[in-house]
Amino acid sequence: GNSVTQMEGPVTLSEEAFLTINCTYTATGYPSLFWYVQYPGEGLQLLLKATKADDKGSNKGFEATYRKETTSFHLEKGSVQVSDSAVYFCALGKAAGNKLTFGGGTRVLVKP
Amino acid sequence: DTAVSQTPKYLVTQMGNDKSIKCEQNLGHDTMYWYKQDSKKFLKIMFSYNNKELIINETVPNRFSPKSPDKAHLNLHINSLELGDSAVYFCASSQPSARSNTQYFGPGTRLTVL
């Protein structure tokens, strides 16, 4: 079946540091890949997505590239802010109304 | 102009009670979902409806019964609540296509069973 593995947190960084959160997946066919973010006390927000191999999703300074050869979709941001403190979820989904399969989430804490 | 809304936001109740959580989306999507997030933040699909028809029913106790009166609404009724039902329940919706299935989530309902 489908599965998503992402690095366990918490990840603690200083402001303006570089952030990488690793995500690898197992799936049949060609899933879409997503990063969702959950700020404290809030629901999940879509951060970025990629629907095919070599696509790069980007939003709010975050980027992730769909790498089929390594089955990965690592999230990166060059300079984090305190406001980026949240839990980040990697997910994969197949088309046509299918469910999303989530990784376990990675808590990121950015200190001033 | 909230896209996916849920009520209530918080729900505290005693074991054995029956409760409902409501979800509405104004995105015009055909598909809606319920997910459960446990205390360790792990998210798992429970149900999915497409245009009022059940299409995904994961291994969920039959005390949980979803109902979709129309494609903009998906409610979750839980009978005989147990301590282990305490979690955050998220509703989501999407308009699936051949290329993608981006899902949009509601703010969540935090259920606490005492």
Side-chain angles (χ1 to χ4, degrees):
Chain A
N2 299 333
S3 67
V4 176
T5 303
Q6 59 183 106
M7 58 191 288
E8 289 193 27
V11 175
T12 303
L13 303 163
S14 297
E15 217 166 13
E16 299 184 3
F18 185 86
L19 171 67
T20 300
I21 304 176
N22 289 340
C23 170
T24 57
Y25 69 90
T26 302
T28 56
Y30 303 95
S32 297
L33 298 173
F34 304 86
W35 277 100
Y36 282 85
V37 57
Q38 185 176 26
Y39 297 104
E42 297 186 13
L44 280 81
Q45 299 177 25
L46 177 67
L47 182 58
L48 53 84
K49 68 178 182 181
T51 59
K52 63 182 189 298
D54 300 324
D55 267 0
K56 178 187 282 189
S58 61
N59 186 25
K60 298 182 181 179
F62 290 89
E63 291 183 342
T65 301
Y66 188 161
R67 302 281 188 204
K68 189 162 174 56
E69 64 277 13
T70 54
T71 61
S72 65
F73 193 54
H74 304 322
L75 182 69
E76 297 181 337
K77 184 173 185 181
S79 176
V80 292
Q81 305 300 313
V82 172
S83 57
D84 294 323
S85 298
V87 180
Y88 292 82
F89 292 92
C90 185
L92 72 81
K94 308 291 278 295
N98 211 326
K99 62 187 180 183
L100 287 178
T101 300
F102 285 89
T106 302
R107 184 179 300 277
V108 173
L109 178 60
V110 181
K111 296 186 174 179
Chain B
D1 58 346
T2 304
V4 183
S5 59
Q6 296 178 228
T7 54
K9 189 170 174 62
Y10 300 97
L11 185 53
V12 181
T13 188
Q14 299 287 332
M15 258 194 324
N17 285 349
D18 304 337
K19 290 292 178 187
S20 291
I21 307 171
K22 295 187 176 183
C23 178
E24 177 180 2
Q25 55 95 3
N26 63 7
L27 298 168
H29 290 164
D30 285 340
T31 306
M32 296 184 72
Y33 311 80
W34 278 110
Y35 287 84
K36 180 180 180 180
Q37 185 177 46
D38 64 22
S39 59
K40 295 185 177 179
K41 299 288 190 184
F42 185 71
L43 274 153
K44 189 169 182 193
I45 184 78
M46 299 174 70
F47 302 103
S48 173
Y49 271 72
N50 180 266
N51 211 0
K52 301 194 297 176
E53 287 193 30
L54 181 66
I55 57 171
I56 293 175
N57 184 350
E58 294 289 294
T59 309
V60 177
N62 58 15
R63 298 182 295 104
F64 290 77
S65 53
K67 282 190 171 53
S68 182
D70 55 63
K71 73 175 192 177
H73 295 85
L74 179 61
N75 303 324
L76 183 65
H77 188 76
I78 315 170
N79 288 329
S80 302
L81 279 154
E82 299 178 357
L83 293 177
D85 298 331
S86 295
V88 181
Y89 293 85
F90 287 102
C91 177
S93 74
S94 72
Q95 188 60 36
S97 69
R99 291 289 304 278
S100 179
N101 182 17
T102 303
Q103 296 183 20
Y104 297 88
F105 285 76
T109 296
R110 181 176 295 277
L111 171 65
T112 303
V113 182
L114 302 175

